[in-house]
Amino acid sequence: EAGVAQSPRYKIIEKRQSVAFWCNPISGHATLYWYQQILGQGPKLLIQFQNNGVVDDSQLPKDRFSAERLKGVDSTLKIQPAKLEDSAVYLCASSTRADGYTFGSGTRLTVV
Amino acid sequence: GENVEQHPSTLSVQEGDSAVIKCTYSDSASNYFPWYKQELGKGPQLIIDIRSNVGEKKDQRIAVTLNKTAKHFSLHITETQPEDSAVYFCAARKGGSYIPTFGRGTSLIVHP
């Protein structure tokens, strides 16, 4: 089966600019997650979707981050405006059940 | 919430040696413990997992042990090979939750 697709692979922006990341989960996976992975740390959950509804967004900095999952398939994560500390790898994952996490390759964001 | 500590942060071994990575968790309600391998430029990939009703699980050269009383679990890799070089993450998850808490990762370097 095809994996979790993410784009772009890399992005460099200046602080205060906006940026968007895209994720296409594995076909049929109802649950989709966005994680932030800062260099040298483990992934930290930003938001969890079940179909097109938000299950958990308690760790999402809502003053600058937003995410949506239209029609319960693809998802976008947006940052506006970006800060230097947002530099990280943004990982998307999907699953059909609690154990079946599959991660994408991530988008490496550098904010300068 | 759950807190997962992982040691060491870096582990360097010679090809053919064994490698051991240790993790501790804080929440006694955690009952599922996955391990992920992350290669450069890729997302984390599940390599083995263990549930709280099992003390040990083995899959070819990798094994995981769990001590519920002490709240720690370990990853053991035998006969290491250069392709085992990667960052390894442990994680812990409570029953009824889809979201694991990750450790900070261990960078394993296997020298040929």
Side-chain angles (χ1 to χ4, degrees):
Chain A
E1 65 181 359
V4 175
Q6 289 189 246
S7 68
R9 289 299 309 274
Y10 308 93
K11 191 75 177 178
I12 301 174
I13 62 171
E14 295 182 349
K15 59 184 178 182
R16 291 187 290 273
Q17 285 188 325
S18 62
V19 64
F21 314 124
W22 173 82
C23 173
N24 178 242
I26 293 174
S27 178
H29 281 198
T31 312
L32 184 148
Y33 315 79
W34 283 102
Y35 278 84
Q36 181 191 58
Q37 186 177 19
I38 292 173
L39 186 66
Q41 299 182 19
K44 185 187 87 169
L45 179 74
L46 291 175
I47 188 167
Q48 175 192 356
F49 291 94
Q50 181 74 19
N51 296 309
N52 61 347
V54 175
V55 174
D56 184 350
D57 64 356
S58 57
Q59 300 297 311
L60 189 71
K62 298 181 188 60
D63 57 333
R64 299 184 300 105
F65 286 65
S66 64
E68 61 181 5
R69 189 182 185 195
L70 300 177
K71 301 181 182 178
V73 182
D74 292 4
S75 178
T76 57
L77 176 70
K78 296 179 182 177
I79 307 175
Q80 182 180 15
K83 293 185 175 181
L84 295 176
E85 58 261 36
D86 297 332
S87 294
V89 175
Y90 290 85
L91 294 163
C92 179
S94 69
S95 70
T96 54
R97 53 183 175 83
D99 301 350
Y101 257 55
T102 301
F103 282 94
S105 293
T107 297
R108 181 176 296 278
L109 173 67
T110 303
V111 182
V112 298
Chain B
E2 175 65 279
N3 182 47
V4 177
E5 299 284 340
Q6 183 172 348
H7 300 280
S9 57
T10 305
L11 180 58
S12 183
V13 300
Q14 288 295 127
E15 183 177 359
D17 287 350
S18 295
V20 180
I21 302 170
K22 299 181 179 181
C23 291
T24 60
Y25 61 99
S26 60
D27 193 334
S28 56
S30 290
N31 62 3
Y32 175 67
F33 306 91
W35 285 87
Y36 292 86
K37 176 183 181 182
Q38 187 172 25
E39 297 175 320
L40 199 61
K42 297 184 180 180
Q45 181 182 16
L46 179 70
I47 55 171
I48 195 168
D49 55 14
I50 191 168
R51 298 185 183 278
S52 58
N53 59 349
V54 175
E56 183 173 358
K57 184 176 178 181
K58 198 171 183 180
D59 183 4
Q60 299 182 349
R61 295 187 298 108
I62 61 174
V64 59
T65 58
L66 171 66
N67 183 326
K68 281 194 302 181
T69 303
K71 287 193 258 182
H72 66 70
F73 56 113
S74 301
L75 177 72
H76 303 253
I77 306 174
T78 58
E79 299 172 26
T80 53
Q81 301 167 4
E83 51 264 39
D84 294 330
S85 297
V87 178
Y88 291 80
F89 292 97
C90 63
R93 194 191 73 205
K94 289 194 290 189
S97 169
Y98 275 54
I99 312 301
T101 299
F102 287 86
R104 294 177 69 93
T106 296
S107 177
L108 174 65
I109 303 165
V110 181
H111 299 281

Coordinates of all heavy atoms in Angstrom, one line a residue, chain B residues 50-109:
Chain B
I50 N 5.2 -3.8 22.7 CA 4.9 -4.7 23.8 C 3.7 -4.2 24.6 O 3.6 -3.0 24.8 CB 6.1 -5.0 24.7 CG1 5.9 -6.2 25.6 CG2 6.6 -3.8 25.5 CD1 7.1 -6.7 26.3
R51 N 2.9 -5.1 25.1 CA 1.8 -4.7 25.9 C 2.1 -5.1 27.4 O 2.9 -5.9 27.7 CB 0.5 -5.4 25.5 CG 0.1 -5.0 24.1 CD -1.2 -5.5 23.6 NE -1.5 -5.2 22.2 CZ -2.0 -4.0 21.9 NH1 -2.3 -3.1 22.8 NH2 -2.2 -3.7 20.6
S52 N 1.3 -4.5 28.3 CA 1.6 -4.6 29.7 C 1.4 -6.0 30.3 O 1.8 -6.3 31.4 CB 0.9 -3.6 30.5 OG -0.5 -3.7 30.3
N53 N 0.7 -6.9 29.5 CA 0.4 -8.2 30.0 C 1.5 -9.2 29.6 O 1.4 -10.4 29.8 CB -0.9 -8.7 29.5 CG -1.1 -8.7 28.0 OD1 -0.2 -8.2 27.3 ND2 -2.1 -9.4 27.5
V54 N 2.6 -8.6 28.9 CA 3.7 -9.5 28.4 C 5.0 -8.9 29.0 O 5.2 -7.7 29.1 CB 3.7 -9.4 26.9 CG1 4.9 -10.2 26.4 CG2 2.4 -10.0 26.3
G55 N 5.9 -9.8 29.4 CA 7.2 -9.3 29.9 C 8.3 -9.2 28.9 O 9.2 -8.4 29.1
E56 N 8.2 -9.9 27.8 CA 9.2 -9.9 26.8 C 8.7 -10.3 25.5 O 7.8 -11.1 25.4 CB 10.4 -10.8 27.2 CG 11.6 -10.8 26.3 CD 12.7 -11.7 26.8 OE1 12.6 -12.3 27.9 OE2 13.7 -11.8 26.1
K57 N 9.2 -9.7 24.4 CA 8.8 -10.0 23.1 C 10.0 -9.9 22.2 O 10.9 -9.0 22.3 CB 7.7 -9.0 22.6 CG 7.2 -9.3 21.2 CD 6.1 -8.3 20.9 CE 5.5 -8.5 19.6 NZ 4.4 -7.5 19.3
K58 N 10.1 -10.9 21.3 CA 11.3 -10.9 20.4 C 10.9 -11.0 19.0 O 9.9 -11.7 18.6 CB 12.1 -12.2 20.8 CG 13.6 -12.2 20.3 CD 14.4 -13.3 21.0 CE 15.8 -13.3 20.5 NZ 16.6 -14.4 21.1
D59 N 11.7 -10.4 18.1 CA 11.5 -10.5 16.7 C 12.9 -10.5 16.0 O 13.5 -9.4 15.8 CB 10.7 -9.3 16.2 CG 10.4 -9.4 14.7 OD1 10.7 -10.4 14.0 OD2 9.7 -8.4 14.2
Q60 N 13.4 -11.6 15.7 CA 14.7 -11.8 15.1 C 15.8 -11.2 16.0 O 16.0 -11.6 17.1 CB 14.7 -11.2 13.7 CG 13.7 -11.9 12.8 CD 13.7 -11.4 11.3 OE1 14.3 -10.4 11.0 NE2 13.0 -12.1 10.4
R61 N 16.4 -10.1 15.5 CA 17.6 -9.6 16.3 C 17.1 -8.5 17.3 O 18.0 -8.0 18.0 CB 18.6 -8.9 15.3 CG 19.3 -10.0 14.4 CD 20.4 -9.3 13.6 NE 19.9 -8.2 12.8 CZ 20.1 -6.9 13.0 NH1 20.7 -6.5 14.1 NH2 19.6 -6.0 12.1
I62 N 15.9 -8.2 17.4 CA 15.4 -7.2 18.3 C 14.5 -7.8 19.4 O 13.7 -8.7 19.0 CB 14.8 -6.0 17.7 CG1 13.5 -6.4 16.9 CG2 15.7 -5.2 16.8 CD1 12.8 -5.2 16.3
A63 N 14.6 -7.3 20.6 CA 13.7 -7.8 21.6 C 13.4 -6.6 22.5 O 14.1 -5.6 22.6 CB 14.4 -8.9 22.4
V64 N 12.2 -6.7 23.2 CA 11.8 -5.7 24.1 C 11.4 -6.3 25.4 O 10.8 -7.4 25.4 CB 10.7 -4.8 23.6 CG1 9.5 -5.6 23.2 CG2 10.4 -3.7 24.5
T65 N 11.9 -5.8 26.6 CA 11.5 -6.3 27.9 C 10.7 -5.2 28.6 O 11.0 -4.0 28.4 CB 12.7 -6.7 28.7 OG1 13.6 -5.6 28.8 CG2 13.4 -7.8 28.0
L66 N 9.8 -5.6 29.5 CA 9.0 -4.7 30.2 C 9.0 -5.1 31.7 O 8.7 -6.2 32.0 CB 7.6 -4.6 29.7 CG 6.5 -3.9 30.5 CD1 6.8 -2.4 30.5 CD2 5.1 -4.1 29.9
N67 N 9.2 -4.1 32.6 CA 9.1 -4.4 34.0 C 8.1 -3.4 34.5 O 8.3 -2.2 34.7 CB 10.5 -4.1 34.7 CG 10.4 -4.4 36.2 OD1 9.4 -4.2 36.9 ND2 11.5 -4.9 36.7
K68 N 6.8 -3.9 34.7 CA 5.7 -3.0 35.1 C 5.9 -2.4 36.5 O 5.6 -1.3 36.8 CB 4.4 -3.7 35.0 CG 3.8 -3.9 33.7 CD 2.4 -4.3 33.7 CE 2.3 -5.7 34.4 NZ 0.9 -6.1 34.5
T69 N 6.5 -3.2 37.4 CA 6.7 -2.8 38.8 C 7.6 -1.6 38.8 O 7.3 -0.6 39.5 CB 7.2 -3.9 39.6 OG1 6.3 -5.0 39.5 CG2 7.3 -3.5 41.1
A70 N 8.7 -1.7 38.1 CA 9.7 -0.6 38.1 C 9.3 0.5 37.1 O 10.0 1.5 37.0 CB 11.1 -1.2 37.8
K71 N 8.4 0.2 36.2 CA 7.9 1.1 35.2 C 9.1 1.5 34.2 O 9.4 2.6 33.9 CB 7.3 2.4 35.7 CG 5.9 2.2 36.3 CD 5.2 3.5 36.6 CE 5.3 3.7 38.1 NZ 4.6 4.9 38.5
H72 N 9.8 0.4 33.8 CA 10.8 0.6 32.7 C 10.7 -0.5 31.7 O 10.3 -1.6 32.0 CB 12.2 0.9 33.3 CG 12.8 -0.3 34.0 ND1 13.2 -1.4 33.4 CD2 13.1 -0.4 35.3 CE1 13.8 -2.2 34.2 NE2 13.7 -1.7 35.4
F73 N 11.2 -0.1 30.5 CA 11.2 -1.1 29.4 C 12.4 -0.8 28.5 O 13.0 0.3 28.6 CB 9.9 -1.0 28.6 CG 9.5 0.3 28.0 CD1 9.5 0.6 26.6 CD2 9.1 1.4 28.9 CE1 9.2 1.8 26.1 CE2 8.7 2.6 28.4 CZ 8.8 2.8 27.0
S74 N 12.9 -1.8 27.9 CA 14.2 -1.7 27.2 C 14.1 -2.4 25.8 O 13.4 -3.3 25.6 CB 15.3 -2.4 28.0 OG 15.5 -1.8 29.3
L75 N 14.9 -1.8 24.9 CA 15.1 -2.4 23.6 C 16.5 -3.0 23.5 O 17.5 -2.4 23.8 CB 14.9 -1.3 22.5 CG 15.1 -1.7 21.1 CD1 13.9 -2.6 20.6 CD2 15.3 -0.5 20.1
H76 N 16.5 -4.2 23.0 CA 17.8 -5.0 22.9 C 18.0 -5.3 21.4 O 17.1 -5.9 20.8 CB 17.8 -6.2 23.7 CG 17.5 -6.0 25.1 ND1 18.4 -6.1 26.1 CD2 16.3 -5.7 25.8 CE1 17.9 -5.9 27.3 NE2 16.6 -5.6 27.1
I77 N 19.1 -4.9 20.8 CA 19.4 -5.3 19.5 C 20.7 -6.1 19.5 O 21.7 -5.7 20.0 CB 19.7 -4.1 18.6 CG1 18.4 -3.1 18.6 CG2 19.9 -4.5 17.1 CD1 18.7 -1.8 17.9
T78 N 20.6 -7.3 19.0 CA 21.8 -8.2 19.0 C 22.4 -8.2 17.6 O 21.8 -7.8 16.6 CB 21.5 -9.6 19.4 OG1 20.5 -10.1 18.5 CG2 20.9 -9.7 20.8
E79 N 23.7 -8.6 17.5 CA 24.5 -8.7 16.3 C 24.2 -7.4 15.4 O 23.8 -7.5 14.2 CB 24.0 -9.9 15.5 CG 24.3 -11.2 16.3 CD 23.7 -12.4 15.6 OE1 23.5 -12.4 14.4 OE2 23.4 -13.4 16.4
T80 N 24.5 -6.3 16.0 CA 24.2 -5.0 15.3 C 24.9 -4.9 13.9 O 26.0 -5.5 13.7 CB 24.6 -3.8 16.1 OG1 26.0 -4.0 16.5 CG2 23.7 -3.7 17.3
Q81 N 24.2 -4.3 13.0 CA 24.8 -4.1 11.6 C 24.7 -2.6 11.3 O 24.0 -1.8 11.9 CB 23.9 -4.9 10.6 CG 23.8 -6.3 10.9 CD 22.7 -7.1 10.1 OE1 22.0 -6.5 9.3 NE2 22.6 -8.4 10.4
P82 N 25.6 -2.1 10.4 CA 25.6 -0.7 10.1 C 24.2 -0.1 9.7 O 23.9 1.0 10.0 CB 26.6 -0.6 8.9 CG 27.5 -1.8 9.1 CD 26.6 -2.9 9.7
E83 N 23.4 -0.9 9.1 CA 22.0 -0.5 8.7 C 21.1 -0.3 9.9 O 20.0 0.2 9.8 CB 21.4 -1.4 7.7 CG 21.4 -2.8 8.1 CD 22.5 -3.6 7.4 OE1 23.6 -3.0 7.4 OE2 22.3 -4.8 7.0
D84 N 21.6 -0.7 11.1 CA 20.8 -0.4 12.3 C 21.0 1.0 12.8 O 20.3 1.5 13.7 CB 21.2 -1.4 13.5 CG 20.8 -2.8 13.2 OD1 19.8 -3.1 12.4 OD2 21.5 -3.8 13.6
S85 N 22.0 1.7 12.2 CA 22.3 3.1 12.6 C 21.1 3.9 12.3 O 20.6 4.0 11.2 CB 23.5 3.6 11.9 OG 24.7 2.9 12.2
A86 N 20.5 4.6 13.4 CA 19.3 5.4 13.2 C 19.1 6.0 14.6 O 19.8 5.8 15.6 CB 18.1 4.6 12.8
V87 N 18.0 6.8 14.7 CA 17.5 7.3 16.0 C 16.3 6.4 16.4 O 15.4 6.2 15.6 CB 17.0 8.8 15.9 CG1 16.5 9.2 17.3 CG2 18.2 9.7 15.5
Y88 N 16.4 5.9 17.6 CA 15.3 5.0 18.1 C 14.5 5.8 19.2 O 15.1 6.4 20.1 CB 15.9 3.8 18.7 CG 16.5 2.9 17.6 CD1 17.8 3.2 17.1 CD2 15.8 1.8 17.1 CE1 18.3 2.3 16.1 CE2 16.4 1.0 16.2 CZ 17.6 1.3 15.6 OH 18.2 0.5 14.6
F89 N 13.2 5.7 19.1 CA 12.3 6.3 20.1 C 11.5 5.3 20.8 O 10.9 4.4 20.1 CB 11.4 7.3 19.4 CG 12.0 8.5 18.8 CD1 12.3 8.6 17.5 CD2 12.3 9.6 19.6 CE1 12.9 9.7 16.9 CE2 12.8 10.8 19.1 CZ 13.2 10.8 17.7
C90 N 11.4 5.4 22.1 CA 10.4 4.6 22.9 C 9.2 5.5 23.1 O 9.3 6.7 22.9 CB 11.0 4.1 24.2 SG 11.4 5.5 25.3
A91 N 8.1 4.8 23.4 CA 6.9 5.6 23.7 C 6.0 4.8 24.6 O 6.2 3.5 24.7 CB 6.1 5.9 22.4
A92 N 5.1 5.5 25.3 CA 4.2 4.8 26.2 C 2.8 5.4 26.0 O 2.7 6.6 25.7 CB 4.6 5.1 27.7
R93 N 1.8 4.5 26.1 CA 0.4 5.0 25.8 C -0.6 4.4 26.8 O -0.4 3.2 27.1 CB 0.0 4.6 24.4 CG -1.2 5.3 23.9 CD -1.7 4.7 22.6 NE -2.3 3.4 22.9 CZ -2.4 2.4 21.9 NH1 -1.8 2.6 20.8 NH2 -3.0 1.3 22.2
K94 N -1.5 5.1 27.2 CA -2.5 4.7 28.2 C -3.6 3.9 27.4 O -3.9 4.2 26.3 CB -3.1 5.8 29.0 CG -2.2 6.4 30.0 CD -2.9 7.3 31.0 CE -3.4 8.6 30.3 NZ -3.9 9.5 31.4
G95 N -4.3 3.0 28.1 CA -5.4 2.4 27.6 C -6.5 3.4 27.2 O -6.7 4.3 28.0
G96 N -7.2 3.2 26.1 CA -8.2 4.1 25.7 C -7.8 5.3 25.0 O -8.6 6.1 24.5
S97 N -6.4 5.5 24.9 CA -5.9 6.6 24.1 C -5.2 6.2 22.9 O -4.7 5.1 22.8 CB -4.9 7.3 25.0 OG -4.2 8.3 24.3
Y98 N -5.3 7.0 21.8 CA -4.6 6.7 20.6 C -3.2 7.4 20.6 O -2.4 7.1 19.7 CB -5.4 7.3 19.4 CG -6.4 6.5 18.9 CD1 -7.4 5.9 19.7 CD2 -6.5 6.1 17.5 CE1 -8.4 5.1 19.1 CE2 -7.5 5.3 17.0 CZ -8.5 4.8 17.8 OH -9.4 4.1 17.3
I99 N -2.9 8.2 21.6 CA -1.7 9.1 21.5 C -0.6 8.6 22.5 O -0.8 8.6 23.7 CB -2.1 10.5 21.9 CG1 -3.3 11.0 21.2 CG2 -0.9 11.4 21.7 CD1 -3.2 10.9 19.7
P100 N 0.5 8.2 21.9 CA 1.7 7.8 22.7 C 2.5 9.0 23.1 O 2.5 10.0 22.4 CB 2.5 6.9 21.8 CG 2.2 7.4 20.4 CD 0.8 7.9 20.5
T101 N 3.2 9.0 24.3 CA 4.1 10.0 24.6 C 5.5 9.4 24.3 O 5.8 8.3 24.7 CB 4.1 10.2 26.2 OG1 2.8 10.8 26.5 CG2 5.1 11.3 26.6
F102 N 6.3 10.2 23.5 CA 7.6 9.7 23.1 C 8.7 10.1 24.0 O 8.7 11.2 24.6 CB 7.9 10.3 21.7 CG 7.0 9.7 20.6 CD1 5.8 10.2 20.3 CD2 7.5 8.7 19.8 CE1 5.0 9.7 19.3 CE2 6.8 8.1 18.8 CZ 5.5 8.6 18.5
G103 N 9.8 9.3 24.0 CA 11.0 9.7 24.6 C 11.8 10.6 23.7 O 11.3 10.9 22.6
R104 N 12.9 11.1 24.2 CA 13.7 12.1 23.4 C 14.5 11.5 22.3 O 15.1 12.2 21.5 CB 14.5 12.9 24.3 CG 13.7 13.8 25.3 CD 14.6 14.6 26.2 NE 15.4 15.6 25.5 CZ 15.0 16.9 25.3 NH1 13.9 17.3 25.9 NH2 15.8 17.7 24.7
G105 N 14.6 10.1 22.3 CA 15.4 9.5 21.2 C 16.8 9.1 21.6 O 17.4 9.7 22.4
T106 N 17.3 8.0 21.0 CA 18.7 7.6 21.1 C 19.3 7.4 19.7 O 18.7 6.7 18.9 CB 18.7 6.2 21.8 OG1 18.2 6.3 23.2 CG2 20.2 5.7 21.8
S107 N 20.4 8.1 19.5 CA 21.1 8.0 18.2 C 22.0 6.8 18.3 O 23.0 6.9 19.1 CB 21.8 9.3 17.9 OG 22.5 9.2 16.7
L108 N 21.7 5.8 17.6 CA 22.6 4.6 17.6 C 23.5 4.6 16.4 O 23.0 4.8 15.2 CB 21.7 3.3 17.5 CG 22.5 2.0 17.4 CD1 23.4 1.7 18.6 CD2 21.5 0.8 17.1
I109 N 24.8 4.5 16.6 CA 25.8 4.5 15.6 C 26.5 3.1 15.6 O 27.1 2.8 16.6 CB 26.8 5.6 15.7 CG1 26.0 7.0 15.8 CG2 27.8 5.6 14.6 CD1 26.9 8.1 16.3

